[in-house]
Amino acid sequence: MENRRNFLKKSALASFSASSIISCDQELKNIKKEIPRIISTWNHGLAANNKAWEVLKSGKGGLLAVEEGVKVTEADPNVRSVGLGGYPDRDGIVTLDACIMDKNSNCGSVTYLQNIKHPISVARLVMEETPHVMLSGKGALDFAVSKGFKQENLLTEQSKKDWITWKEKSDYKPIINIENHDTISMLAIDENGDLYGACTTSGAAWKMHGRVGDSPIIGAGLFLDNEVGAAAATGLGEAIIKTSGSAMVVELMRQGHSPMQACKIIVDRISKLHKKGPEWDYLQVGFIALNKNGEYAGYSLRKGFNFSLCDEKNKDLLIDADYKIG
Ligand code: SD4
């Protein structure tokens, strides 16, 4: 449970408006160089962070920490947008996207993967045991099976029921917000100041069959540069891909922007690009960012995005992200 200090901090962060970015940055200066630290998208990040923290503190390394952390979310059938229990596509098929990246810029990714509960672990093996970065669809599945992964049905009764209800109207509006506990993206900085990241999702609910979002794309859903910082995304993947969102956030941090400023600049850019489009009504994007000093931020286009933080002082801190549009 949150202690009083956490509660106060959360309240302070939650009360920032779009015009109070500077005060948020000032707040973050007070916690500069607090490492190790882990941040993850949404409130399912709390359980994921706890696992990742346990692995990190046991000395097993940042890569295993982020992998084991997001696996908690992948295995949870109540999280309806990641792994087991994730919403299917329009044809009722659950297809998963995931990627992972380490301090040496090694990365691995799987897209359009079916029937495998832990795509993040397959992505890690793509990184470690193949000469490639990305495997997709049947090739990714064959690779996973060859590595001993078990095939299983990921469409739970509840998700199937929701899909059948959705089909009655077939109204495509991606469901992206706190109530649906979207994609998990996790960023970690270890006690040496080295960065790691992981991102895993079943993608936008009711997507076209074959659609791949930002989450498995290095630079879009996740990016890190161990000299600078790390960033990850959640929200409408198409908008994130079009701006190479996470890579841009990291590049902005390289230019000297704080994590908050960097996230805000990219969200502003996305907002400008999509303001006149039909997707504007339902567009949501959110970014988390963590720099080499352990400074962090979360920022979204619309109200409703939150992220989870875990460090020496805060084990279960859920922070309402600042946002552009209330
Ligand atoms: C996607 N970015 O596939 C994912 C979905 C998501 O919060 O993150 N929703 O577009």
Side-chain angles (χ1 to χ4, degrees), residues 41-42 81 97 172 174-177 181-185 199-205 207 211-216 221 233-241 284-286:
T41 51
W42 305 107
S81 48
D97 298 333
Y172 183 63
I175 304 168
I176 297 167
N177 227 325
H181 311 299
D182 294 274
T183 295
I184 180 147
S185 301
C199 180
T200 176
T201 189
S202 53
K207 62 193 175 185
R211 179 263 191 191
V212 171
D214 61 306
S215 304
T234 182
L236 188 67
E238 284 73 6
I240 296 159
I241 293 169
Q284 170 68 313
V285 290

Side-chain angles (χ1 to χ4, degrees), residues 38-287:
I38 298 169
I39 57 171
S40 295
T41 51
W42 305 107
N43 60 2
H44 48 227
L46 291 171
N49 283 355
N50 279 338
K51 179 69 189 174
W53 187 258
E54 182 192 310
V55 175
L56 201 62
K57 295 308 276 183
S58 70
K60 292 182 183 151
L63 190 63
L64 189 66
V66 295
E67 179 191 358
E68 289 296 324
V70 301
K71 274 172 74 178
V72 171
T73 321
E74 288 181 338
D76 186 345
N78 298 316
V79 177
R80 315 299 297 287
S81 48
V82 181
L84 175 69
Y87 284 129
D89 63 19
R90 291 172 193 201
D91 298 344
I93 300 166
V94 179
T95 71
L96 306 177
D97 298 333
C99 73
I100 193 160
M101 193 161 187
D102 77 7
K103 62 175 180 172
N104 296 314
S105 293
N106 294 313
C107 41
S109 159
V110 288
T111 77
Y112 183 62
L113 179 62
Q114 296 173 40
N115 299 324
I116 299 288
K117 191 157 85 180
H118 290 303
I120 197 68
S121 299
V122 186
R124 181 171 175 180
L125 288 183
V126 171
M127 172 175 101
E128 292 177 337
E129 298 191 15
T130 81
H132 306 302
V133 165
M134 252 177 157
L135 288 181
S136 185
K138 185 168 181 308
L141 177 63
D142 289 348
F143 173 70
V145 170
S146 78
K147 292 292 170 191
F149 287 81
K150 194 173 90 206
Q151 292 196 61
E152 54 195 296
N153 175 28
L154 302 177
L155 185 63
T156 54
E157 279 311 309
Q158 189 56 50
S159 284
K160 189 171 173 185
K161 224 168 114 194
D162 291 348
W163 170 63
I164 289 165
T165 306
W166 170 79
K167 272 207 304 181
E168 285 164 16
K169 275 193 178 163
S170 300
D171 184 16
Y172 183 63
K173 285 201 174 165
I175 304 168
I176 297 167
N177 227 325
I178 182 170
E179 300 81 15
N180 296 293
H181 311 299
D182 294 274
T183 295
I184 180 147
S185 301
M186 176 181 285
L187 307 175
I189 186 163
D190 69 13
E191 53 285 348
N192 302 316
D194 289 324
L195 293 158
Y196 299 87
C199 180
T200 176
T201 189
S202 53
W206 333 133
K207 62 193 175 185
M208 284 178 71
H209 186 62
R211 179 263 191 191
V212 171
D214 61 306
S215 304
I217 300 176
I218 301 295
L222 173 72
F223 191 71
L224 68 84
D225 181 321
N226 205 45
E227 289 182 359
V228 178
T234 182
L236 188 67
E238 284 73 6
I240 296 159
I241 293 169
K242 285 177 192 171
T243 49
S244 294
S246 294
M248 290 303 157
V249 170
V250 172
E251 285 311 296
L252 286 160
M253 291 195 287
R254 189 196 304 280
Q255 290 166 24
H257 291 284
S258 70
M260 179 61 89
Q261 288 165 339
C263 292
K264 187 176 181 299
I265 289 168
I266 292 307
V267 168
D268 283 348
R269 195 175 293 171
I270 290 172
S271 157
K272 207 168 143 197
L273 274 171
H274 290 270
K275 220 168 196 152
K276 298 202 170 91
E279 70 285 6
W280 178 249
D281 285 349
Y282 60 77
L283 178 66
Q284 170 68 313
V285 290
F287 289 92

